[in-house]
Amino acid sequence: MDLNNLPHFDVLPQHIGFIMDGNGRWAKERGLPRYKGHIEGAKTFRKIGEFAGDLGIKYLTFYAFSTENWKRPPDEVAAIMNLFREYLKELDDRKAENEEKGIQVNFIGSKKGLPKDILAMMKYSEKITEDKTKVYLNIAVNYGGREEIVHSVKLIAKLVKKGKLKPDDITEDMISRGLYTAGMPDPDLIIRPSGEKRLSNFLLWQAAYAEFWSSNVLWPDFTEEDLVEALRNFEKRNRRFGGV
Ligand code: FPP
């Protein structure tokens, strides 16, 4: 796509969530091991993240590894962890470029069980980008929507225990503020390629009013044009938020 001639949209989502599905099938179709699909998927993640940022979408959340993904074969898990390492190193190497683009990186998900070196690199990339406000890039690693809600509820329960909050005073907003996405707008659009029409524990609380877009393209084959198609469709939707 010609980056000097970007398409215009009357309405753009403020926040898009991407479920990067279909890497395994992409590899299988080519007789390759599954991890090769994740390598291609990571390339698509970079390409689509950059393009969505160029289009002016302010918040992007990519589902990279779920709390359930630990059940996969150890070599596949290790390959995905190595892709995170590579990307985290790249974030440091390309610090100046990302700074210019104004990208703030946030990792959402549980810290429990993640390798220590990855945790340290995550912390570092969050730190070096924390003052950037043009594009908020969330990467969901060791993320589960239910785990996230439990995490928020525990914070609230502690306040109640200390006598700082009455159970009857608990609000939806308090639960939102205890999530890993605290302070960010809820996603307007969730994109899931590869034909599945499930949320799979992704942004469960935040996606209450999100529009859902699915397509049959496998994530490694997902292009800028596919994103434009999803956005054209989003433009036409009539969002009522429970009203008429
Ligand atoms: C789901 O496809 C994909 C994953 C569980 C891993 C996604 C990870 C990446 C794209 C790498 C991300 C890298 C960075 C740097 C953020 P699947 O394996 O379930 O596909 P299938 O349904 O076809 O088997």
Side-chain angles (χ1 to χ4, degrees):
M1 183 153 306
D2 179 6
L3 289 184
N4 295 312
N5 199 7
L6 290 171
H8 169 79
F9 297 90
D10 290 334
V11 194
L12 266 184
Q14 223 189 335
H15 185 173
I16 307 182
F18 291 91
I19 303 179
M20 303 190 280
D21 194 17
N23 297 344
R25 273 163 284 171
W26 183 93
K28 196 169 174 218
E29 276 177 6
R30 287 161 180 78
L32 299 168
R34 294 178 57 84
Y35 80 90
K36 295 262 189 196
H38 297 312
I39 293 178
E40 287 307 305
K43 289 185 196 161
T44 306
F45 152 77
R46 288 173 175 85
K47 177 181 75 183
I48 295 299
E50 195 160 325
F51 179 62
D54 289 340
L55 286 179
I57 294 151
K58 217 166 166 59
Y59 295 85
L60 301 165
T61 303
F62 288 88
Y63 203 4
F65 194 83
S66 76
T67 43
E68 289 73 38
N69 285 153
W70 296 107
K71 287 186 245 158
R72 295 189 174 211
D75 60 334
E76 185 177 340
V77 172
I80 296 175
M81 293 297 149
N82 280 334
L83 287 173
F84 295 153
R85 285 189 181 91
E86 249 172 54
Y87 180 67
L88 285 159
K89 185 169 178 308
E90 192 181 301
L91 280 177
D92 190 22
D93 294 343
R94 297 207 179 155
K95 214 166 16 190
E97 196 180 312
N98 288 335
E99 207 157 298
E100 209 171 297
K101 291 198 163 167
I103 303 172
Q104 180 178 129
V105 181
N106 285 297
F107 289 92
I108 64 166
S110 169
K111 304 287 177 249
K112 277 183 212 135
L114 283 172
K116 283 208 171 61
D117 65 312
I118 291 189
L119 282 173
M121 287 199 277
M122 283 176 168
K123 212 171 159 185
Y124 172 73
S125 35
E126 287 179 340
K127 184 87 200 140
I128 60 170
T129 61
E130 70 183 358
D131 59 338
K132 304 294 170 295
T133 56
K134 205 158 167 214
V135 181
Y136 293 83
L137 174 63
N138 296 328
I139 306 171
V141 171
N142 199 16
Y143 175 88
R146 288 185 172 180
E147 188 280 333
E148 183 186 35
I149 295 168
V150 171
H151 169 86
S152 175
V153 168
K154 281 182 183 168
L155 297 175
I156 294 171
K158 282 177 193 158
L159 292 178
V160 172
K161 193 173 177 213
K162 280 190 198 154
K164 290 191 174 164
L165 180 68
K166 293 197 194 87
D168 278 344
D169 292 340
I170 296 170
T171 62
E172 290 187 6
D173 189 50
M174 284 178 200
I175 296 191
S176 294
R177 279 189 272 135
L179 302 176
Y180 302 123
T181 52
M184 301 185 191
D186 286 340
D188 311 287
L189 176 64
I190 304 279
I191 294 181
R192 180 165 195 161
S194 93
E196 314 290 352
K197 296 177 179 66
R198 291 188 288 275
L199 267 183
S200 298
N201 208 10
F202 185 51
L203 303 178
L204 289 185
W205 177 275
Q206 300 91 326
Y209 288 101
E211 298 291 326
F212 194 83
W213 169 260
S214 79
S215 79
N216 289 326
V217 181
L218 303 176
W219 177 251
D221 291 329
F222 196 87
T223 60
E224 287 100 337
E225 285 76 12
D226 290 312
L227 178 57
V228 169
E229 190 187 338
L231 292 171
R232 287 284 172 234
N233 184 279
F234 177 83
E235 227 177 3
K236 287 188 235 130
R237 299 204 192 175
N238 176 11
R239 304 181 73 207
R240 292 188 296 274
F241 301 95
V244 287

